[in-house]
Amino acid sequence: MADLSDPKAALHHYLKTTRDDLIWKLDGLSERDVRLPRTRTGNNLLGAVKHALNIEAGYFGPTFGREFPTPEELVPLEAFDDDPQADWYATADETKDGLIGLYRRVGLFADQTIEQLPLDAPGRVPWWRPGAQDVTLHRIIVHVIYDLARHAGHADIM
């Protein structure tokens, strides 16, 4: 168990717990079940996981000058210019097990960033508006926990 009296350890603990909670939503579901549209906009559980893994890869990668070891497995930033929702839908060749496996690898990558940097480590989010791009690791961990918790809530509804 993490020492939750240490701020960095507490933040990291809640990030990992939220990540695991989101992945758990797919537990026991078939490939068909995770792909079925669950909202009027077509969202599904597998798309929520794909979106979340791209969130973590981006915020704990390029923001801190790091690159995920196999960037070709992620949705490229340029794809969002044409479709702001580019990472919300699994392609026909992306499977439940494949995306969960990729998310676990992205999680390890994010964990390494957190373990290697101090909370006040500077970063820069290139896709945020000018003037708001400079961040710290602390801010990004909080931002990602907030974002993943929202998507885990979405998955509860789906």
Side-chain angles (χ1 to χ4, degrees):
M1 177 76 175
D3 175 10
L4 299 183
S5 65
D6 173 56
K8 183 176 176 183
L11 289 168
H12 198 182
H13 167 78
Y14 286 109
L15 173 66
K16 289 195 263 187
T17 300
T18 305
R19 179 189 304 145
D20 290 343
D21 287 348
L22 179 57
I23 293 171
W24 171 76
K25 309 293 183 194
L26 282 66
D27 202 28
L29 297 176
S30 70
E31 192 72 35
R32 181 179 186 274
D33 288 337
V34 299
R35 290 176 177 279
L36 278 175
R38 301 292 179 175
T39 68
R40 289 177 37 198
T41 60
N43 285 4
N44 60 49
L45 291 166
L46 194 56
V49 167
K50 183 176 179 179
H51 176 68
L53 74 84
N54 279 282
I55 287 170
E56 288 204 55
Y59 281 115
F60 294 110
T63 297
F64 296 100
R66 301 183 75 228
E67 184 176 13
F68 186 67
T70 53
E72 66 278 0
E73 293 185 273
L74 305 171
V75 176
L77 285 178
E78 309 81 57
F80 296 99
D81 293 339
D82 294 331
D83 181 4
Q85 306 298 314
D87 63 348
W88 273 99
Y89 304 98
T91 63
D93 61 327
E94 293 173 322
T95 65
K96 172 188 160 186
D97 290 343
L99 284 175
I100 289 173
L102 176 57
Y103 196 6
R104 293 196 189 288
R105 287 186 288 123
V106 165
L108 292 173
F109 171 75
D111 293 344
Q112 289 173 345
T113 299
I114 294 166
E115 290 161 3
Q116 292 173 1
L117 298 175
L119 283 178
D120 63 351
R124 186 168 184 80
V125 183
W127 55 90
W128 284 7
R129 66 177 171 73
Q133 295 175 321
D134 294 327
V135 295
T136 62
L137 178 62
H138 182 201
R139 180 172 176 201
I140 290 302
I141 297 171
V142 170
H143 179 81
V144 172
I145 291 169
Y146 168 76
D147 212 4
L148 294 184
R150 288 178 47 234
H151 298 315
H154 296 148
D156 284 338
I157 292 167
M158 289 190 272

